[in-house]
Every structure is written in C-alpha cells, then in structure tokens.
Amino acid sequence: MKKAVIVVSILILVYFMFVSNDNHKNKPSNVINKRSVVNKSIHKGIAMTLYDSTNNDQWFDETFPKIKNMGAELQVVTGVHVKDLKDSVPVNDPNVDEKLNRLFKKSKEYGVKVSMLKPHLMSPELGDSFDRGSYMPADINLFFSQWKNIILYYAKVSEENHVSFLSITCETTALTQNTYVPYWQEIINEVREKYPAVKITMAFKKEELDRELAYHEKKLIGISPFLDEISLNMYPKVKREYVHKKRIFPTDDIFVINSEQYGFIEGIRKAHRYFKKDILITETGSTYRSDSSKDYLNPIVLDKTKPHDYVDQQYWLQIVVSVLLQMKEIKGIYVWNVNSPFQILDAPPAKVLKKLYRE
C-alpha cells in the first residue's frame, strides 16, 4: 500500500513539473518571470520637458490621461539658458512660474504625481541639445552665485508641491569635477537648511558616475557623498541577441560596453555600495526609429531614412526597463521622453511601459 502511495505521489509531482515547464515555454519573450524579484517600492516615471509649446490646457488635457493610464509618475525638465559655452550668467525661463502653476494644477486634476524637478542648462539656439557637458563659465564664482539662486527657486517649488526629488544639475561634466565640490556643497547646505523636505540629486552621465567611483577608490573627495540619491542618465546599446531571451536578469553582458571604466550594472551596484545611497535612473529611453543593420539595439537613431516603426524601441524598453525594475539598488526610473523623437506615449512603447509599470 505504501509503495502505491509513493508511486502515485511521484506521478503527480512529474505531472506538475511538466505543466510548469510547458507554461514557461509559452511565456512571451523578455517578460519578467514571476520568480524574478521586482523592486516594488520603485518610483516608475516618465519625463517631459516644459516647453512653450506644452504650456496650454489642451496639451495637458490630451497628455496627462495617458500618463495616468500608464501608472507613471512624472519628471519635469525646465530650461535655464546661457548664451554660449562660456556665459557665466544662467537665466531661468522667464515664464517658468506660469508654466509650473499650470503643470501642478493639471497634475492634481488628473492625479499624476510630479516626483522630480530637473532644470537643464540650454541655449536659445540649441535648446536641450546644448553641449552642457563642455560648458565652462568664464567666471566660475559668478556662475555658481547665479545657479544657487536658481536652484533655491526650484527647491522652494519642490517643497511647496511635495515633489520627491530635485536634480541640481544634469550632465554638466566639466562642473562636477571634484575641484568644484565646495561650490556644490554650499548650494546643497542652503537647500537643506531652507527646504529640508527636498531630496537632492544630480543627473550624471555615465562618465561622471565612473569618475565618482574612481574618486572613491582613490580616496579622493567627490560630490556623491553629499547627495541624498545618486542619479544616472543611462542609454546603453543592447545586444540584439537578447531580444528573444525569455528570462533576463541584471548583467552587463546585455550591453555593448565601449570604453567605459565600469559596466552599467557594475557601476550602479558599486555606487550603491560605496556611497550607501539609492540610485535613480534619471533618464533612460530609446527613439522610435529602428536600425536593423546593427547587431545591437541603438537607443538613439536620428537617421530619417530609418523606419519610424517603434520596433527596436519596444525591444529596447522591454529589456532595459525590466532589468532595472529587478535591481534592489534602484529607487526610481524615469523613461525619456514624452516629446519627439522618443514619443513614449505613442501606442507601441506606451503598451510596453504600461505592462512593466503595472506588474
């Protein structure tokens, strides 16, 4: 009798193993398997730039329901203008008060949480394409004096509107060298004194994050220890071979790594370990054009002869965002951008993000 019970138990076990394996085979490519650990406390967001063209009720009435439906929070980018790479007097958008008032009014109306403000250095001619990484003001003292006042303005707005994070600079590679740490400390200290609820970060390019890690390893001072969160703008090239893999875990083997000192996953984990701070992915995303001639998914395809078909964009978002959502080191992800040439609220990428963000 005992032998019969044992045989039946084995048969039942084999049956359930077969069913489980068969179901696994039928899962669509790149969907996070239920056994993958997803960071449930993460801020899942998208980014928008507050242009003059978006400063009207119609734009918000058309856009915010889509963001709400996606289950996303919002990062808001504003423009601070300089005339050229040496201009020492940054000027905040003269219409920023009106724009932010409309933004927050509409965010409350539609239930869209604004969780990050992120002023960008821009130029009147180039806008957000301005090479702020090479920006070096002729009068560094004058620049930081002006910049502190601008950041204090955004800190006040952030605290008044319960915005979770304030990025005090973005991709200003020359200005985040450790030579300028005392200037940044002065800004950070004053923000904390006047607006203690505001969490401060900086949106680093990959080379800036690598430099911060190198500073730490060489026992040199960097800016990261003074921030509340470490942030990274992340646009990796993804190996095309990963498009059809069913289960993808965080590893740098996914990406085409060029001359970076560290891989993306490695850098994120080192920053978390070195500085004992959570990581925000302040930008990550892919444009809507595809380039099938490459053996990797290129996140930035601007060649207008390439098809505007969203195909590579969907693959890229599925792989990169699903991997980031699994990482315990990450506190927030903001996919770039509502505006062209990313247009992540268009149907194909929006469907991918909605599924990932609402899982």
Side-chain angles (χ1 to χ4, degrees):
M1 182 66 179
K2 287 183 179 179
K3 288 183 179 180
V5 170
I6 292 170
V7 169
V8 170
S9 298
I10 291 172
L11 289 173
I12 291 171
L13 179 62
V14 169
Y15 170 77
F16 279 110
M17 287 176 66
F18 174 79
V19 170
S20 174
N21 186 57
D22 188 58
N23 287 340
H24 174 69
K25 287 179 181 178
N26 290 320
K27 286 183 179 290
S29 295
N30 297 327
V31 173
I32 300 176
N33 188 276
K34 288 183 180 178
R35 286 176 288 175
S36 301
V37 178
V38 176
N39 185 349
K40 297 290 187 182
S41 62
I42 202 165
H43 292 265
K44 302 170 184 177
I46 61 174
M48 66 162 286
T49 306
L50 208 53
Y51 292 120
D52 290 343
S53 60
T54 63
N55 185 31
N56 60 81
D57 288 346
Q58 181 180 350
W59 188 89
F60 284 107
D61 292 338
E62 292 173 354
T63 304
F64 271 22
K66 297 177 184 177
I67 297 173
K68 178 68 174 178
N69 182 56
M70 188 185 289
E73 298 177 5
L74 192 60
Q75 173 197 118
V76 177
V77 173
T78 61
V80 181
H81 290 92
V82 288
K83 296 173 185 176
D84 54 45
L85 291 173
K86 294 185 177 181
D87 181 13
S88 305
V89 184
V91 178
N92 206 3
D93 181 347
N95 299 314
V96 71
D97 282 335
E98 179 197 345
K99 290 177 180 178
L100 288 173
N101 286 338
R102 176 176 274 113
L103 167 83
F104 286 114
K105 178 184 176 184
K106 287 296 183 179
S107 72
K108 291 174 184 175
E109 180 180 340
Y110 287 102
V112 173
K113 178 176 174 54
V114 178
S115 57
M116 177 176 285
L117 289 182
K118 187 160 155 276
H120 282 197
L121 271 176
M122 302 182 186
S123 73
E125 294 79 18
L126 298 173
D128 208 13
S129 298
F130 175 68
D131 182 15
R132 51 186 168 267
S134 301
Y135 173 72
M136 178 51 67
D139 186 333
I140 197 73
N141 291 307
L142 177 58
F143 167 77
F144 273 105
S145 174
Q146 298 291 318
W147 192 251
K148 180 174 72 171
N149 291 332
I150 290 169
I151 292 303
L152 286 170
Y153 166 82
Y154 284 109
K156 181 175 185 290
V157 171
S158 296
E159 187 164 271
E160 287 175 348
N161 293 279
H162 309 290
V163 177
S164 305
F165 308 110
L166 172 62
S167 172
I168 61 173
T169 193
C170 175
E171 297 183 343
T172 50
T173 312
L175 291 176
T176 54
Q177 298 175 84
N178 63 357
T179 308
Y180 304 106
V181 166
Y183 292 100
W184 292 114
Q185 277 186 277
E186 183 180 336
I187 293 173
I188 291 167
N189 289 342
E190 191 158 343
V191 169
R192 288 196 174 128
E193 180 184 347
K194 293 181 176 179
Y195 309 105
V198 177
K199 298 297 183 184
I200 301 166
T201 191
M202 285 182 172
F204 290 141
K205 293 176 72 171
K206 181 59 166 55
E207 64 190 88
E208 292 176 277
L209 180 64
D210 285 349
R211 188 172 62 198
E212 287 292 305
L213 299 176
Y215 284 155
H216 178 87
E217 290 170 353
K218 295 173 183 176
K219 302 188 185 310
L220 298 173
I221 193 66
I223 192 61
S224 292
F226 304 101
L227 302 171
D228 293 307
E229 324 285 348
I230 309 299
S231 291
L232 174 64
N233 291 353
M234 179 177 171
Y235 294 93
K237 295 175 180 175
V238 175
K239 295 176 183 175
R240 198 172 285 274
E241 67 193 71
Y242 275 84
V243 166
H244 299 297
K245 290 186 182 292
K246 289 183 171 61
R247 296 181 66 196
I248 302 177
F249 296 102
T251 169
D252 279 312
D253 185 61
I254 299 167
F255 309 124
V256 178
I257 305 296
N258 296 322
S259 59
E260 288 92 349
Q261 186 174 352
Y262 306 97
F264 286 95
I265 305 301
E266 179 190 14
I268 289 168
R269 287 176 169 159
K270 279 181 179 287
H272 183 264
R273 188 166 71 250
Y274 288 172
F275 306 119
K276 305 294 188 291
K277 300 175 192 292
D278 291 324
I279 311 300
L280 299 172
I281 304 301
T282 32
E283 293 180 22
T284 193
S286 172
T287 56
Y288 49 63
R289 294 188 185 276
S290 302
D291 186 358
S292 58
S293 67
K294 300 288 193 300
D295 62 356
Y296 57 82
L297 303 173
N298 188 351
I300 310 296
V301 179
L302 303 177
D303 183 350
K304 292 184 179 180
T305 67
K306 301 299 181 183
H308 180 161
D309 60 5
Y310 305 97
V311 172
D312 280 4
Q313 183 187 41
Q314 292 177 83
Y315 288 143
W316 193 98
L317 288 169
Q318 178 69 58
I319 294 168
V320 174
V321 177
S322 67
V323 163
L324 294 174
L325 284 170
Q326 296 176 62
M327 297 185 68
K328 65 180 178 60
E329 297 86 356
I330 289 177
K331 188 172 185 175
I333 301 169
Y334 295 91
V335 175
W336 190 266
N337 184 296
V338 169
N339 311 102
S340 182
F342 293 82
Q343 294 179 204
I344 58 166
L345 292 180
D346 287 2
K351 184 177 180 180
V352 172
L353 276 181
K354 180 180 178 180
K355 185 170 184 180
L356 288 167
Y357 277 4
R358 290 193 173 275
E359 281 185 334

